[in-house]
Amino acid sequence: MNFLDHIWLIPLFPLFGAVVMLILGRRFDPQAPSDAALAPGLVESVEDHGHHAIGAAKFLVSLLCPGMVLLSFLLSVGAAIELASTAGKVHQVIQFTWLAGLPFHRADGALARFSADWGFLLDPLSSVMILIVTGIGFLIHVYSTGYMAHDGGYYRFFAYLNLFVFFMLMLVLANNYALLFVGWEGVGLCSYLLIGFYFHKKAAGDAAKKAFIVNRIGDAGFILGMLLLFALVGSVRFLDVNAALAGRAPETSFGVLSVLALLLFLGAAGKSAQFPLYVWLPDAMEGPTPVSALIHAATMVTAGVYMIARSSALFALTPETSTIVAAVGAFTAIFAASIALVQNDIKRVLAYSTVSQLGFMFVALGVGAYWVAVFHLYTHAFFKALLFLGAGSVIHAMSGEQDMRRMGGLKDKIPVTFRTMFIGSLAIAGVPGLAGFFSKDEILWQAWSSPLGSKSIFAVGLVTAFMTAFYMWRLMFLTFYGQPRMDAHTAAHIRESPISMTVPLSVLALLSIAGGWIGVPKLWSVFGDGFRAFEHWLEPVFAAAHSAEEAHHEASVEWLLMALSVSVAVGAILLARRRYLSKAVQEEPEAEAPGLLHKILLNKWYVDEIYDFLFVNGLAKRGGTLLGRFDSAIVDGGVNGAAWLTRFTSRFSIWWDTWIVDGLVRLSAFTVKVWSYPVRLVQNGLVQTYALMVMAGLAVILGYYMSR
């Protein structure tokens, strides 16, 4: 089989699963449980209730939907292997012309026609993305069969999940910006459905609407950027855009290309939750935990990073915008990490961690290290999916409890979950040898050494790395160590998750250990160039980016910075251990750190409150009230005034017609009638009368002439 010519099947398989579920799903769905059982993780494992066998219908759902994603993964592996053997490592498949517009004058005056293909592009970048999306997606699907086993809407959940994977695959396989936007909006729609899956909960519905609305702000920038790109280049194909930009020199000031790049960055900031558009992502925790893992680890939030990496040829020409990207990324990273330091909800800690790690990726993009950003996207997918699924396993064991202050002492009760999350926490902290270390260290080095980087961005990254290790191990110590702090009923029902949940955790733990070894630093020359396979694989994609060459420093500098980052991580773990294994905190975690700063961080810098004041209650509510008054006084007033004027005009018209027009007609008739009386006196029809008048006239004329 020629895998490359059949890459269109990769998104088709999940779409097939989604369509089947949406059409026939209700027949597959067992009777929905009570409302109390609709919350996630409130049931014990299937193994503990063997007498409640999964019905044939649910088995079909569990087989079909993960199976479709598995087929996509296997096809992706085959396509990636074939791609590696091709010369240019680029393969494009165009199915048909999807959009065809009227002729259009480009910015340079040339005539162009807007068109977009329904076509797919497989290159090293998209191959990495499809492997992540389908691979991690499959593990999350398998995990969901256990986690959602007793929830209502089982078929509906998997239909949405398959549809989500379909749109994400469309996004990363599209050969042009227009088709990418289809996938872009599709994952936004599916995120609304999945975040609001527990629609009976107001908080879930509000979170879904918040995610949908905030993303529309970024999408507006994306649309404008795409249209401006076509006006400049005359095409929205990635290959055509790269070819058109290849001969341009970088802008020395903020010009039209910088505006274009900034508009695209606005779209990326919305989708990838960068400040100030990050607020939707923490609230997305209202969805089921597998949804959180899918959105945060491998799919939706990485779309913005992918889009900018795909547009590297453009961003490399716009150093001004790239500086903004790096600055926003650095600020987002440290801002979100500071909030994660004090959160008590286990999923919310991980949510702010995701926002922070995405900030790291944007730092790498901003300093021109595009492959490093994708590398961190790749490693982050492993350990963040592991941590979210591990958190779901903890919540499952705790009968739905998510507050870490009500946990403690779980490491011996759920050992598989503990060990796998232990590995994930080491990975995200940047402990040497694990996946997170390699990508994080490369980002910090690029921030230090790249001509587009700066020492201040490096310092922010280092502080953020310290915070990351601290809050992750705060999570570990409060959750798994110390004395149990849950109630007796919850403690009596703590069990390890079923095998359908623990196997994905174990696989992700192995990937979190080994996944980073394909991108070791150049400094580790002892391993040979083969251990830098990730960078070499992506070289053809970013070759046209004209990235600034990496500044050369002494090896001792890089060793020193690496040792510093490792020391920071280890120091943060030890500090967290000393702080959160203390007897006082273990017994009363609610009083861990009273004070103004703690209160501010606990309330997330009051950003949501500020947004509510300015936009929800301000612009939306008060602005709505003002617009209502404007509508009532001005718009409706204008309409009512126009109606009054119309009535007045019609009445005046009637009066004018009656008294002026008709009056003049009647007056004329009366005048004619009055003056007709003398005429009628002489016009009696008698010949002698007329003869007398003639003689009288002649007499008058004769008299006139005789008098002269």
Side-chain angles (χ1 to χ4, degrees), residues 359-426:
F360 266 114
M361 299 176 202
F362 277 88
V363 167
L365 293 170
V367 302
Y370 302 104
W371 82 267
V372 179
V374 180
F375 186 36
H376 195 58
L377 184 157
Y378 158 82
T379 60
H380 176 263
F382 301 145
F383 58 73
K384 185 52 59 73
L386 169 61
L387 291 170
F388 264 111
L389 296 184
S393 183
V394 171
I395 296 169
H396 182 273
M398 291 290 298
S399 302
E401 179 63 69
Q402 297 183 193
D403 193 333
M404 296 183 297
R405 297 171 297 180
R406 304 289 179 267
M407 299 179 184
L410 295 179
K411 67 184 182 72
D412 295 324
K413 297 182 178 180
I414 46 174
V416 176
T417 302
F418 164 70
R419 293 170 189 148
T420 53
M421 287 196 70
F422 188 93
I423 293 171
S425 298
L426 289 177

